[in-house]
């Protein structure tokens, strides 16, 4: 049991019987050998460790890390151990702060027993008050509490600390070539149950444990250290580790998606925690027993605006024991030879230094690369300056998983173009956890809307009639950034109502009280301001439907019904979800109009039109890239329609020769045979005016369905079209009908 001297109350210390390996002390259980005589610390270096010092033959600190020193029936103190051969058997040495804290006098006899902490007594956070140890060395220069916390963690990781304990701490500022010796007092300690934390982080169920106040515990590499200034001290502290503004600890998974400003990414977070977080909860000795290497790299990829950068920054805060380094990919590159590689090495320098000093007890260092594809392109893929990019990739590969491997780093990369990244960077040991951050579903969009409207609801600036659930349904294929833009646009619309535009712009004097964002503001923003990048291409579809859709006969009705069957087949969960069809017919027979109507009737959230008119002047390779991008964009959405109009013009077909683009043809054949991702639905509709040409190129066989679009063939069909045009009067229609009948009889 550990006893607090101040109140003589027992606390939940580890029992001395639960020691694991056998004690390497001769006759340690006999009353004579566990009585020790107090001595001074043999050296100044040992005094700075804040440990008790004994002879190795009494307690071997390789096996017994901590001891309980009993000075009386209710006076028990826990110390970490160091060995020194200058002490004789039966002697235990302390520095002045430890003797003062435990009220020890030289030559006093104390009882010493081995101690081991329980799983719930690992330190999540510790608060210490600081002052200058030597009043003559007082300086008004600010001390960086973040650097102090890092140095404290490296010096004392694995040691025991108790509430009220007096410490001495030497802190060197290498950049300023000066050192300070500080006296510290432990003010409070919070512990966490690492077993429960590991289970929660591994996704095996159960809530993440909350840190609880404890009287003593063992410091871990990622424990949060907070420095307070001792009352009356001249110490000037700066940094995040000052006062109460501490980081989130890696062993304190107490986060809230709503507070972090992230929504719709629950599944992605769960996957990342399971792979990259759970193993880091356990103490280093457990990891060493498994000979385990932590995950050192995560790659987040997906469409723009889906929250990759935001997620990486929040991971940096949640798993943070050291301040994360956030760099944009292009910032690494430098015009001078060797500087780009040097910039990469500097990112890992702090982690290397701490690994050399602390080994497995080193804290976690996080390096976040935004737009990592800018520096990690496929080696040999760039001409001219390729050597610079290649050597940067080589340097990053060697730092992450080279000869001198580091187990205390986590590299997080983000990109929109995973295909551009060198494949060697994606293997296990490097960026091995690859997580796609895709467009949010309806539940995710509702989360995002709640996050971005939380402050408005808090201050009663959002009309209660605004239905966020309905907005989530109407914002299909909106990214997180686009939903945020939608909220801003609605706010701007509401503000605009309170601005009086006369001779000069005037603000309504009661604007603050009157301002209320209502559903009409969101409707206006949806219709006029914000359009999703992966949404319906209504403007392109309406361009083909601007003259209206005329059903001139049962043939048109049959084509539309076949289109509905294609849509139903694509939606059917029992099918592959990949349906292709070509609408073939004579020029100006209405193929594109019919395809556009089928796409519009599908009500799929993503509709993309690929038209030769948008590629005028494109080279063959540029057309291939445009086709690839269109297919990739369509596959990112859960349900998509891709309309490829006028394939002959797209293939540069000419009857003189004949001539066509084989490069574009091969690209189209390949893309039409690549199915979408599981649970994704894609309907590809194409139009063609030359069936024989497509058949010669084997392109007709690439489509699963073929629909013939006929021309008008009977007087009644022509009359139906003329009648629906609403151009002629009834008398004129009768005259036209008579002439058509006469013309038909003449040609019989």
């Amino acid at each position: 049991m550990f006893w607090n001297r101040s109140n003589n109350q027992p606390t939940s210390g580890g029992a001395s019987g639960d020691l694991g390996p056998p004690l390497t002390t001769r006759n340690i259980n006999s009353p004579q050998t566990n009585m020790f005589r107090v001595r001074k610390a043999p050296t100044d270096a040992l005094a700075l460790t804040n440990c008790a010092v004994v002879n190795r033959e009494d307690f071997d600190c390789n096996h017994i890390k901590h001891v309980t020193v009993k000075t009386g029936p209710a006076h028990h103190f826990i110390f970490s151990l160091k060995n020194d051969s200058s002490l004789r058997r039966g002697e235990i040495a302390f520095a002045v702060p430890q003797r003062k804290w435990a009220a020890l006098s030289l030559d006093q006899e104390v009882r010493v027993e081995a101690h081991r902490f329980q799983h719930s007594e690992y330190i999540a956070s510790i608060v210490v008050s600081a002052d200058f140890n030597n009043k003559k060395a007082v300086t008004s220069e600010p001390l960086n509490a973040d650097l102090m916390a890092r140095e404290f963690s490296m010096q004392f990781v694995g040691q025991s600390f108790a509430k009220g304990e007096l410490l001495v701490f030497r802190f060197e500022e290498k950049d300023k070539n000066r050192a300070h010796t500080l006296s510290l007092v432990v003010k409070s300690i919070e512990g966490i149950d690492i077993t429960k934390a590991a289970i929660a982080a591994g996704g095996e169920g159960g809530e993440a444990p909350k840190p609880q106040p404890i009287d003593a515990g063992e410091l871990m590499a990622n424990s949060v250290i907070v420095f307070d200034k001792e009352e009356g001290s001249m110490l000037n502290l700066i940094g995040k580790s000052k006062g109460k503004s501490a980081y989130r600890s890696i062993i304190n998974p107490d986060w809230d998606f709503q507070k972090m400003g992230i929504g719709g990414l629950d599944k992605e977070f769960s996957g990342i925690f399971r792979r990259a977080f759970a193993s880091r909860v356990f103490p280093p000795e457990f990891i060493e027993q498994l000979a385990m290497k932590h995950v050192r790299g995560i790659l987040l990829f997906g469409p723009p605006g889906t929250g990759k950068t935001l997620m990486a920054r929040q991971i940096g805060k949640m798993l943070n024991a050291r301040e994360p380094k956030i760099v944009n990919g292009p910032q690494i590159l430098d015009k001078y030879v060797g500087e780009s590689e040097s910039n990469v090495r500097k990112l890992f320098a702090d982690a290397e230094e701490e690994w050399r000093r602390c080994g497995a007890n080193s804290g976690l260092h996080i390096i976040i690369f935004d737009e990592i594809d800018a520096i990690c392109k496929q080696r040999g893929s760039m001409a001219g300056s390729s050597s610079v990019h290649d050597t940067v990739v080589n340097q990053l590969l060697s730092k992450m998983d080279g000869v001198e491997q580091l187990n205390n780093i986590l590299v997080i990369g983000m990109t929109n173009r995973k295909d551009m990244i060198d494949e060697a960077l994606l293997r296990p040991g490097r960026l091995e956890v690859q997580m796609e951050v895709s467009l949010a579903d309806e539940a995710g969009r509702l989360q995002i809307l709640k996050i971005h409207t939380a402050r408005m609801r808090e201050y009663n600036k959002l009309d209660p009639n605004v239905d966020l659930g309905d907005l989530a349904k109407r914002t299909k294929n909106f990214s997180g950034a686009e939903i945020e833009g939608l909220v801003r646009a609605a706010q701007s619309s509401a503000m605009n109502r309170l601005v009086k535009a006369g001779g000069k712009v005037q603000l309504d004097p009661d604007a603050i009280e009157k301002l209320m964002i209502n559903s009409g503001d969101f409707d206006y923003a949806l219709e006029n301001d914000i359009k999703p990048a992966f949404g319906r291409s209504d403007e392109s579809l309406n361009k083909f439907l601007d003259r209206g859709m005329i059903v001139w006969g049962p043939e048109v009705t049959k084509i539309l019904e076949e289109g509905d069957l294609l849509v139903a087949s694509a939606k059917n969960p029992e099918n592959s979800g990949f349906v292709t069809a070509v609408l073939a017919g004579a020029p100006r027979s209405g193929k594109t109009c019919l395809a556009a109507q089928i796409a519009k009737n599908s009500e799929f959230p993503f509709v993309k039109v690929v038209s030769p008119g948008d590629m005028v002047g494109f080279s063959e390779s540029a057309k291939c890239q445009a086709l690839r991008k269109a297919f990739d964009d369509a596959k990112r959405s859960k349900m998509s329609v891709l309309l490829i109009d006028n394939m002959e013009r797209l293939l540069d077909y000419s009857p003189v020769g004949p001539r066509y683009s084989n490069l574009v043809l091969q690209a189209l054949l390949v893309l039409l045979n690549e199915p979408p991702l599981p649970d994704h639905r894609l309907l590809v509709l194409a139009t063609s005016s030359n069936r024989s040409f497509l058949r010669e190129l084997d392109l007709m066989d690439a489509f699963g369905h073929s629909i013939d679009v006929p021309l008008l063939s009977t007087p009644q069909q022509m009359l139906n079209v003329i009648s629906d045009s609403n151009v002629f009067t009834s008398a004129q229609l009768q005259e036209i009908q008579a002439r058509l009948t006469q013309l038909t009889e003449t040609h019989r």
Side-chain angles (χ1 to χ4, degrees):
M1 301 288 287
F2 171 76
W3 293 76
N4 190 317
R5 272 187 91 242
S6 61
N7 54 17
N8 292 336
Q9 294 297 317
T11 62
S12 56
S16 59
D18 182 22
L19 296 179
L23 303 181
T24 58
T25 306
R26 186 175 57 189
N27 299 324
I28 187 65
N29 293 320
S30 65
Q32 291 77 20
T33 56
N34 63 0
M35 296 302 295
F36 285 73
R37 195 169 295 277
V38 176
R39 297 285 187 248
K40 292 181 180 180
T43 64
D44 291 341
L46 286 171
L48 290 172
T49 64
N50 298 297
C51 293
V53 186
V54 297
N55 188 289
R56 188 179 299 276
E57 293 185 11
D58 284 328
F59 291 100
D60 187 347
C61 67
N62 292 323
H63 299 285
I64 302 172
K65 297 172 63 177
H66 318 292
V67 293
T68 301
V69 176
K70 300 180 178 181
T71 61
H75 300 267
H76 301 178
F77 302 88
I78 300 175
F79 292 94
S80 295
L81 280 181
K82 293 288 184 183
N83 291 138
D84 190 81
S85 58
S86 65
L87 291 172
R88 290 180 295 181
R89 292 286 308 278
E91 292 182 340
I92 184 167
F94 301 92
V96 172
Q98 285 73 53
R99 297 204 305 271
K100 184 177 179 181
W101 172 55
L104 298 169
S105 60
L106 296 177
D107 293 331
Q108 178 182 350
E109 283 196 350
V110 294
R111 185 178 298 274
V112 182
E113 296 176 354
H115 181 88
R116 190 171 193 176
F117 288 107
Q118 296 179 355
H119 292 307
S120 60
E121 294 180 316
Y122 285 90
I123 295 176
S125 63
I126 180 172
V127 179
V128 296
S129 62
D131 194 5
F132 291 104
N133 190 53
N134 184 355
K135 300 303 180 183
K136 296 181 180 180
V138 172
T139 176
S140 60
E141 289 290 324
L143 300 184
N144 192 316
D146 297 334
L147 298 180
M148 289 168 59
R150 178 187 166 199
E151 184 64 28
F152 186 96
S153 176
M154 287 193 287
Q155 287 187 24
F156 303 129
V157 64
Q159 287 189 205
S160 68
F161 291 93
K163 187 176 179 180
E165 184 175 354
L166 304 180
L167 309 168
V168 62
F169 171 49
R170 185 173 176 81
F171 169 59
E172 294 185 6
E173 294 182 284
K174 295 181 179 179
D175 56 337
K176 298 181 180 179
N177 195 25
R178 62 181 182 180
H180 307 279
T181 303
L182 306 177
S183 61
L184 309 178
V185 180
V186 179
K187 292 297 185 183
S188 64
I189 304 175
E190 287 188 333
I192 194 168
D193 192 320
I194 58 171
T195 304
K196 293 180 180 178
I199 292 173
E204 299 178 18
E207 291 187 7
K210 305 290 185 181
Q212 301 293 332
I214 57 175
D215 287 322
E218 181 178 323
L219 191 73
M220 298 182 67
N222 296 299
S223 301
V224 173
I225 297 106
V226 181
F227 286 90
D228 274 337
K229 187 173 71 171
E230 187 70 37
E231 186 176 353
S233 172
M234 298 295 293
L235 200 63
N236 183 12
L237 296 176
I238 60 173
K240 293 181 181 178
S241 295
K242 171 180 67 69
K244 299 299 181 184
S245 58
Y247 310 126
R248 295 173 183 267
S249 170
I250 189 173
I251 59 172
N252 180 19
D254 181 24
W255 51 77
D256 184 343
F257 289 159
Q258 301 289 332
K259 292 180 181 178
M260 293 190 305
I262 297 180
L265 299 176
D266 303 45
K267 181 180 178 182
E268 288 80 359
F269 264 108
S270 177
I272 290 173
F273 293 155
R274 179 178 60 84
R275 294 293 310 278
F277 174 60
S279 65
R280 298 183 186 274
V281 174
F282 289 93
E285 54 266 27
F286 294 161
I287 301 301
E288 289 179 351
Q289 292 173 9
L290 299 174
M292 182 180 183
K293 295 179 181 177
H294 299 299
V295 168
R296 291 194 285 270
I298 301 172
L299 180 67
L300 304 176
F301 64 96
T306 50
K308 299 184 296 298
T309 303
L310 179 59
M311 178 187 280
R313 292 176 187 273
Q314 295 300 347
I315 290 173
K317 291 180 181 179
M318 286 184 298
L319 307 188
N320 187 22
R322 305 288 178 264
E323 183 71 19
K325 298 178 180 179
I326 304 175
V327 292
N328 290 320
Q331 291 178 350
I332 295 294
L333 303 178
D334 196 284
K335 64 180 180 180
Y336 296 107
V337 176
E339 283 299 313
S340 299
E341 298 88 322
S342 175
N343 291 337
V344 174
R345 289 193 295 270
K346 290 175 183 176
L347 294 174
F348 292 85
D350 291 340
E352 290 175 334
E353 178 193 358
E354 186 167 348
W355 185 257
R356 283 194 296 268
R357 292 179 58 180
C358 303
N361 288 317
S362 171
L364 176 64
H365 292 252
I366 299 175
I367 304 171
I368 299 174
F369 285 97
D370 202 359
E371 306 298 340
I372 193 172
D373 54 283
I375 61 170
C376 294
K377 291 183 174 66
Q378 293 278 352
R379 284 171 290 183
S381 63
M382 293 185 64
S385 61
S386 62
S387 59
V388 175
H389 286 82
D390 290 358
T391 53
V392 169
V393 174
N394 294 337
Q395 185 70 75
L396 187 59
L397 293 177
S398 64
K399 285 297 180 185
M400 289 190 66
D401 192 28
V403 176
E404 297 181 359
Q405 294 179 347
L406 300 175
N407 210 20
N408 64 337
I409 59 169
L410 179 63
V411 176
I412 304 175
M414 293 161 287
T415 180
N416 301 327
R417 297 292 305 277
K418 179 185 174 184
D419 56 295
M420 295 178 63
I421 297 178
D422 192 277
E423 60 185 12
L425 199 61
L426 303 180
R427 73 159 176 80
R430 290 163 183 167
L431 298 179
E432 62 179 278
V433 178
Q434 296 155 29
M435 188 69 62
E436 181 177 10
V437 185
S438 56
L439 298 169
D441 57 13
E442 185 176 323
R445 295 194 297 273
L446 181 58
Q447 282 185 3
I448 299 170
L449 282 167
K450 287 181 177 179
I451 288 169
H452 291 299
T453 58
R455 187 63 62 86
M456 291 190 290
R457 295 197 305 274
E458 180 183 350
Y459 290 96
N460 297 320
K461 296 301 179 185
L462 184 68
D463 193 313
N465 294 325
V466 174
D467 188 351
L468 296 182
D470 180 62
L471 281 173
K473 292 179 181 178
R474 296 167 59 190
T475 51
K476 292 180 180 179
N477 280 22
F478 274 64
S479 66
E482 288 163 344
I483 292 176
E484 183 183 4
L486 175 67
V487 174
R488 284 201 305 269
Q491 292 169 340
S492 299
S493 177
M495 291 177 178
N496 191 57
R497 293 198 304 270
L498 302 174
V499 177
K500 300 176 182 178
K504 59 180 180 179
V505 177
Q506 294 180 335
L507 181 66
D508 191 315
D510 299 324
I512 302 298
E513 289 74 19
K514 292 181 179 179
L515 181 63
M516 182 71 68
I517 293 89
N518 57 39
S519 56
D521 297 320
F522 282 99
D523 293 340
Y524 184 86
L526 276 171
E527 293 173 5
N528 300 280
D529 295 329
I530 306 298
K531 301 294 181 184
F534 296 94
R536 293 170 60 92
S537 184
D538 287 333
E539 293 181 0
S540 300
L541 291 179
N542 291 334
K543 180 176 64 176
F544 301 133
L545 298 170
D546 58 351
R547 296 182 181 178
M549 183 73 192
I550 299 175
V551 181
W552 45 261
E555 293 85 352
V556 178
T557 304
K558 182 179 179 182
I559 292 173
L560 293 176
E561 289 175 351
E562 288 185 32
D564 292 339
L565 289 175
L566 294 175
V567 172
S569 178
K571 290 181 179 179
N572 191 340
E574 297 181 0
N575 295 341
S576 65
F578 187 36
V579 178
T580 59
V582 58
L583 283 75
R588 301 188 178 278
S589 58
K591 304 178 296 298
T592 304
C593 181
L594 287 167
Q597 188 65 48
I598 293 171
K600 194 168 186 178
N601 292 343
S602 70
E603 297 184 351
F604 278 17
F606 180 87
V607 177
K608 177 78 171 180
V609 177
V610 178
S611 173
D614 299 329
M615 302 185 191
V616 174
F618 278 27
S619 64
E620 290 184 320
S621 59
K623 285 186 178 180
C624 293
Q625 291 177 3
L627 281 170
R628 163 57 77 182
K629 185 178 186 305
F631 273 85
D632 287 346
D633 290 349
K635 291 174 182 177
R636 282 172 174 166
S637 173
K638 288 286 185 180
M639 304 178 73
S640 307
V641 176
L642 190 61
L643 199 163
I644 305 174
D645 187 34
N646 206 345
M647 284 194 294
E648 293 81 17
R649 299 286 73 78
L650 196 64
L651 294 171
D652 294 331
Y653 167 71
S654 173
V656 179
R659 181 188 177 277
Y660 66 93
S661 171
N662 186 58
L663 190 63
V664 178
L665 170 65
Q666 297 305 321
L668 199 55
L669 289 171
V670 170
L671 294 171
L672 287 171
N673 282 286
E674 288 186 357
L677 298 171
D679 299 328
H680 286 236
R681 307 289 162 188
L682 175 59
L683 171 62
V684 179
L685 299 174
T687 65
S688 172
S689 300
N690 195 324
R691 182 191 292 268
S692 60
F693 169 66
L694 299 185
R695 188 176 290 110
E696 290 177 5
L697 299 180
D698 293 331
L699 195 55
M700 288 295 294
D701 296 335
F703 290 91
H705 301 81
S706 176
I707 300 176
D708 290 323
V709 180
L711 291 169
L712 300 174
S713 58
T714 67
Q716 186 59 45
Q717 292 173 351
M718 298 178 191
L719 192 63
N720 289 341
V721 174
I722 296 171
S723 176
D724 285 348
S725 64
N726 295 322
V727 175
F728 301 98
T729 63
S730 57
Q732 291 172 327
L733 288 174
Q734 290 178 0
E735 183 181 353
I736 292 172
Q737 184 177 13
R739 290 189 179 186
L740 285 173
T741 303
Q742 182 181 2
L743 184 63
T744 303
E745 292 176 352
T746 303
H747 284 279
R748 283 179 179 176

